[in-house]
Amino acid sequence: MSFPRCALLWARLPAGRRAGHRAAVCSALRAHRGPVPGPLGRTPAVASASSSASGGSKAPNTSLFVPLAVKPQGPSADGDVGAELTRPLDKNEVKKILDQFYKRKEIQKLGADYGLDARLFHQAFISFRNYILQSHSLDVDIHIILNDICFTHVDDLFPFFLRHAKQIFPVLECKDDLRKISDLRIPPNWYPEARAIQRKIIFHSGPTNSGKTYHAIQKYLSAKSGVYCGPLKLLAHEIFEKSNAEGVPCDLVTGEERVSIETDGKQATHVACTVEMCSVTTPYEVAVIDEIQMIKDPARGWAWTRALLGLCAEEVHLCGEAAAIDLVTELLYTTGEEVEVRNYTRLTPISVLDHALESLDNLRPGDCIVCFSKNDIYSVSRQIEIRGLESAVIYGSLPPGTKLAQAKKFNDPDDPCKILVATDAIGMGLNLNIRRIIFYSLIKPSINEKGEKEIEPITTSQALQIAGRAGSVRNTKKERLTTMNREDLRLLKEILNKPVEPIKAAGLHPTAEQIEMFAYHLPDTTLSNLIDIFVDFSQVDGQYFVCNLDDFKFSAELIQHIPLSLRVRYVFCTAPINKKQPFVCSSLLQFARQHSRNEPLTFAWLRRYIKWPLHPPNNIKDLMDLEAVHDVLDLYLWLSYRFIDMFPDANLVRDLQKELDGIIQEGVHNITKLIKISEAQRLLNLENMSADNRSRLPGTLKSQGRRMRGTKTLGYKAVEPPSPSAEEKSLASRLVQQGLLTADMLKQLEKEWLTQRTEHGKDKTEPGTTSKGSRRKKKEPDSD
């Protein structure tokens, strides 16, 4: 039926029926009478959209565009008006029309002009086709076009297809607005208060233990007002205590804690804070930004960028490595601020020994063994204890109180503990009387700027940061640095002799306001997907990069199904959690669920949730569980300063956390005993496990199992717990139970035994072995 006939039917409709559908039919008439998009040429609107969409910007990553569902229309209360005006649609004919529409190259090219690449075009078409074929009644305009297609052209469907595509991919409608919102090319303009004053910037450049931070802090203490921004809670606490001890009133602000020194709650003239918590609107006379080189950190660099560009202080003192000087100078050139550089040299020079430690028997008082994994920490601590020595232990996931207690134990000249076993957590934030650093390994897992896991040798910057802890006591000797293994010593010297690579870019992070503006344009998009689209659309200068947001996205996906406002959801996603700890992740989920129900998380509720009271750990797993609970309490405190009404008992929780810290300290004090128990349990479980189940173990445990089987070929029995029915125990079993032998030592004994057998040409099997077992052992290099 042609449009003249439609118009005739329209004229015959009662006035009441016309009113409800006038707009739809007029739209169809306009679509029919206007220029036809397609092979005959673009309409002016198409050309405009095309030029606007390109805009000289990079093409978006359309794989991030998640299609929204558009439900087919059900029966209309007014009936199928399109069918009354024309005739009912023949769905078979409609399928042919739609297939013809999809295959036209001109239509696909026209779709590309509107941002529909091949992938989006296909997805949009499938949705459009299902919508048309599954709807009981279509809008009048598209019904008329489909019925009249034989009199016009299949290209007339394009305006309706595009309208549908924008429904399922709303980003197509607002690409230019999204690009403006995510334009991160001029970060200095985000801080008008700082731009309103002419700041003096002083860069204190030097290695660890060079006095650079000391000079900056002296300026901070003598100022009328000041702010210290540090990378760790421990450092903020240290400056807080130092300031108040010297009679300079100072408040403390961290993510989990607020301490006001004034009795009336009034803000003190000085504040010590973690860098994320600094105010960029409060005026100060002096500001100190510590460890400025962390501006390059893939996850936290944005906090240093914000502090550098945004602090409202007459003088801004930066402390850090020389590698950051050029970048800081370039960034502040755009603000019209000059950088004065003051160079410092290390008070006591770092020297590398000409020989490796090679054996823990060669340890001396004041030694610190640096490991890059917890397993190494446990193994080394155990072996030190076997040798009759005491060691302190420090690693990243320990609570701050426990770290300080272990540092105090190691530093105390009257304490029998003279050895420290630590990760690179000692690199900053702790004062330690270390005489010699021993690198147990030079390989450290890390996350690069793309969020990818890497396992590579430590960088020069990392090595210097750790090495700087050696010789921090009054010690004129220069030989303070070495490695555990001889083959690592040359690599360490190469790493230390390399120049530190200049920092090339500073981190940025989208603000809550920017994400809210994105959500306004894309209201049905998940927060995780919003972040992906924001990063993809964002434009940054070469001096900046967008920080890795994997942790944020992880939290966003974790709580996506919980009904929360966007601002509340954003805050929950910025909460610092360790996503490797299941209990901490489930706690974030539970806290968000309680918040969505408007149910306050009281002290009584929290005690039940963590199953308080908690007891000292019986093994390493118990200790790790206690560390996770401590992190959960940290999470509660962090949220309590963002949602006071929903997390009302911060003071009580802080007292509980101090009590838990004491329990963890007790566990760490007895860590070698916990390691011994855990090791015996693990070996027992492996021995009792069937061969089929053992094959399903992760690689580390399988290698331990192979080592156990290897000890059998040497004539040893598997390690067993004491049993009243056992008539005799092997020597290896008794030594392990007494804590005099570990799995690593068994491994070493096995290697030595095999070497000796080879040297003496012993081809015969030893008692308790079989030639088959011996041959099998040689084929398993993992057990060597």
Side-chain angles (χ1 to χ4, degrees), residues 37-38 42 46 49-50 53 101 104-118 120-122 124 158 161-162 165-166 172 175:
R42 298 178 184 169
V46 172
S50 175
F101 174 83
R104 281 184 58 76
K105 297 296 183 185
E106 293 83 358
I107 291 296
Q108 295 176 15
K109 186 175 184 300
L110 196 58
D113 290 337
Y114 280 90
L116 290 166
D117 61 15
L120 296 189
F121 184 88
H122 177 74
F158 185 78
F161 166 72
L162 183 62
K166 289 180 177 179
L172 298 173
K175 284 191 295 185

Side-chain angles (χ1 to χ4, degrees), residues 210-415:
S210 62
K212 62 182 185 299
T213 307
Y214 169 81
H215 288 89
I217 294 300
Q218 290 304 115
K219 192 69 177 178
Y220 162 83
L221 293 173
S222 62
K224 295 178 182 177
S225 62
V227 57
Y228 168 83
C229 307
L232 300 171
K233 289 182 284 187
L234 281 174
L235 285 171
H237 270 276
E238 182 181 329
I239 300 302
F240 165 73
E241 292 172 355
K242 180 181 179 67
S243 297
N244 289 299
E246 297 193 14
V248 179
C250 179
D251 291 342
L252 175 69
V253 179
T254 70
E256 299 82 13
E257 192 172 8
R258 310 285 190 277
V259 178
S260 179
I261 203 67
E262 301 291 348
T263 55
D264 58 358
K266 185 180 178 181
Q267 183 174 330
T269 56
H270 290 63
V271 60
C273 63
T274 45
V275 65
E276 286 89 348
M277 300 306 299
C278 70
S279 168
V280 292
T281 56
T282 305
Y284 300 101
E285 184 180 350
V286 169
V288 176
I289 307 175
D290 208 355
E291 305 293 351
I292 186 62
Q293 73 276 1
M294 289 191 70
I295 200 168
K296 69 174 182 180
D297 188 87
R300 297 178 65 201
W302 63 270
W304 276 266
T305 304
R306 175 177 173 270
L308 175 65
L309 299 177
L311 281 173
C312 300
E314 298 171 25
E315 286 188 17
V316 179
H317 292 256
L318 312 174
C319 305
E321 298 175 359
I325 293 175
D326 289 345
L327 176 63
V328 167
T329 302
E330 289 181 23
L331 296 184
L332 295 181
Y333 177 79
T334 62
T335 68
E337 296 164 328
E338 295 184 358
V339 180
E340 175 188 339
V341 179
R342 299 178 184 175
N343 293 302
Y344 301 80
T345 56
R346 187 174 161 78
L347 300 177
T348 52
I350 293 177
S351 294
V352 181
L353 286 166
D354 292 328
H355 56 274
L357 189 70
E358 297 196 76
S359 170
L360 295 178
D361 293 329
N362 298 324
L363 286 172
R364 299 199 300 261
D367 280 350
C368 171
I369 303 178
V370 176
C371 307
F372 294 114
S373 76
K374 273 189 180 181
N375 286 336
D376 286 344
I377 289 274
Y378 299 151
S379 175
V380 171
S381 301
R382 183 81 173 89
Q383 292 180 54
I384 290 173
E385 191 244 5
I386 288 170
R387 287 165 171 78
L389 302 174
E390 285 192 34
S391 63
V393 174
I394 296 175
Y395 51 86
S397 59
L398 285 178
T402 304
K403 289 178 185 173
L404 290 172
Q406 290 291 296
K408 183 179 179 181
K409 177 182 174 69
F410 173 73
N411 289 337
D412 187 354
D414 298 325
D415 195 291

Side-chain angles (χ1 to χ4, degrees), residues 628-667:
V629 174
H630 192 280
D631 285 352
V632 168
L633 300 184
D634 258 349
L635 176 62
Y636 183 100
L637 294 172
W638 192 92
L639 291 167
S640 72
Y641 289 104
R642 281 81 181 168
F643 308 109
I644 298 175
D645 294 339
M646 299 306 298
F647 299 83
D649 296 326
N651 291 332
L652 294 172
V653 171
R654 187 167 289 106
D655 292 339
L656 192 70
Q657 192 180 48
K658 289 178 182 177
E659 191 174 342
L660 175 58
D661 200 338
I663 297 173
I664 293 175
Q665 287 183 39
E666 181 182 345

